[in-house]
Amino acid sequence: MSPVLGEEKLKQLLQERELKVYWGTATTGKPHVAYFVPMSKIADFLKAGCEVTILFADLHAYLDNMKAPWELLELRVQYYEQVIKAMLESIGVPLEKLRFVKGTDYQLSREYTLDVYRLSSMVTEHDAKKAGAEVVKQVDHPLLSGLLYPGLQALDEEYLKVDAQFGGVDQRKIFTLAEKYLPSLGYTKRIHMMNPMVPGLTGTKMSSSEEESKIDLLDKKDDVKKKLKKAFCEPGNIQNNGILSFVKHVLFPLSSEFVIKRDPKWGGDKVYTSYEEVEKDFAEEVVHFCNCMKHYSYQAYPEPTKNKFAAKGNPKNATEEDDVVPSRLDLRVGKVISVEKHPDADSLYLEKIDVGEEQPRTVVSGLVAYVSQEELQDRLVILLCNLKPQKMRGIESQAMLLCASVEGDPRRVEPLNAPEGSAPGDRVYVEGFESGKPDDELKPKKKVFEKLQVDLKISDECIAQWKEKDLMTKLGKITCKTLKGGNIS
């Protein structure tokens, strides 16, 4: 069962009348196959007798760091409307039972605008930023527009006159903001229902802005093949597996069975009638199917939506190795707020380091022989924050402290230095790779950091570099004190 906020209220309302619910989509990147997850839920709502509104949130698309330029808003809405309607028709949803609304049809009205001002006088910057953290594009210098986004989504519930809003679990913080602040404006707190998010083909969230993570509805056959061949689908691994999630959340809700095509010498075709059977066999490595699902992916999106708004395919010829770029590393400035000897290892420090989160991270480092506790205390350092946490002598280290070292001389090690004036949590990036988004967690078997580390060096000017491109924050370059020509680890 999908998560629901306000379940008791939902049960009470259904005893009195049919539910009025809306689902909204910001008209940014091209819709992809994961959109079939909410589409199948919309079909369920209609079968249950609900009144369903679909909102094409064009103004939201503009506010989200201008993912949709103002001059393209109308064209984006037309494209989305044709694609969404085609998807719904392909799974047998009667369009006459749906209400389609464009955001700017009411969001530019005097009443709505006044409510935006009223809401902005109540919502703190902290709450607005927190609410949009998983939805609005995160950048070092966010625009005010991105902070308005969650509030507008909350107001839409009132102006669309619905009982409930439906969206992905990544919307939960926006839903929580709506529940907190709408009553302050004199409006009713709504019910919120959520569907799971389908991991992308690369193992992270399937996103319109990450080309290799998704299958577009209008991808050519060859493009689909390339993406599936590069998909993360490690035998036996059922975590963050985009292929398995696609089967679970898209194929099975739309079809009664799933077929793996196999050579007769391997037992012939395998037919599954439940997802649980598929997951069990995959976990036990009874069956591998990374390259066998393309037939179903073609069925999962409608071909008739070819129109003048469809962008031409832009297949990427990059290999998997080309995807190993420094923007995948979550590098941040940290401030050491406490440092002590590891209780079970005199050669290790146990540090608490502020990286701009609610709680400091625990870091275990081998700096005892090189830097005194006094030197580390309150020092600004550079941390790699998205390695998988690992225990070091019984204590979990939640990040890696980056240092410069000299090959062949184990006595010379120095922590990297952040620019003067830096604050905990400031993003560190490689010059030219500012716009990329870090992985949520680097998978150990992919060895992303290890592949990038080969080219991490200290220049003759003591500047940290990757392939001779400087490591930087918004305030300047990352450096070390003396180790010219050293390595970084």
Side-chain angles (χ1 to χ4, degrees), residues 209-279:
S209 60
E210 294 184 29
E211 186 64 30
E212 296 304 309
S213 76
K214 64 191 175 92
I215 296 175
D216 277 331
L217 296 167
L218 299 177
D219 268 349
K220 297 177 182 178
K221 183 176 179 179
D222 288 343
D223 296 335
V224 175
K225 283 183 178 180
K226 289 177 183 176
K227 289 179 179 180
L228 290 175
K229 285 181 179 179
K230 293 171 62 177
F232 173 73
C233 193
E234 181 182 31
N237 189 341
I238 61 174
Q239 302 298 320
N240 295 319
N241 189 317
I243 302 294
L244 275 180
S245 295
F246 184 90
V247 173
K248 179 179 181 179
H249 297 298
V250 178
L251 297 186
F252 268 110
L254 303 179
S255 178
S256 59
E257 64 179 31
F258 175 67
V259 182
I260 301 294
K261 298 290 184 180
R262 299 190 300 189
D263 191 286
K265 68 180 179 181
W266 301 116
D269 293 352
K270 177 79 171 178
V271 180
Y272 293 94
T273 56
S274 75
Y275 171 74
E276 289 70 26
E277 297 174 53
V278 178
E279 185 179 276

Side-chain angles (χ1 to χ4, degrees), residues 398-466:
Q398 299 169 327
M400 176 180 176
L401 196 156
L402 294 187
C403 298
S405 61
V406 176
E407 190 172 352
D409 189 351
R411 297 169 299 176
R412 302 185 65 194
V413 176
E414 296 176 3
L416 297 183
N417 299 319
E420 186 177 350
S422 296
D426 282 356
R427 185 184 172 215
V428 177
Y429 56 86
V430 173
E431 188 177 11
F433 292 87
E434 297 91 334
S435 60
K437 182 180 179 183
D439 291 11
D440 291 335
E441 182 178 275
L442 297 173
K443 296 177 175 60
K445 290 185 178 181
K446 295 293 182 181
K447 298 189 181 300
V448 174
F449 176 67
E450 290 82 354
K451 292 174 182 177
L452 293 167
Q453 185 184 6
V454 175
D455 296 301
L456 285 170
K457 306 288 183 184
I458 301 296
S459 74
D460 291 339
E461 292 77 32
C462 287
I463 297 170
Q465 296 183 328
W466 181 78

Side-chain angles (χ1 to χ4, degrees), residues 47 49 58 60 72 94 145 212 226 249 251 265 273 290 361 432 435 479 486:
K47 289 175 185 175
D58 52 344
H60 287 77
L72 292 180
S145 59
E212 296 304 309
K226 289 177 183 176
H249 297 298
L251 297 186
K265 68 180 179 181
T273 56
C290 293
R361 294 206 182 193
S435 60
T479 61

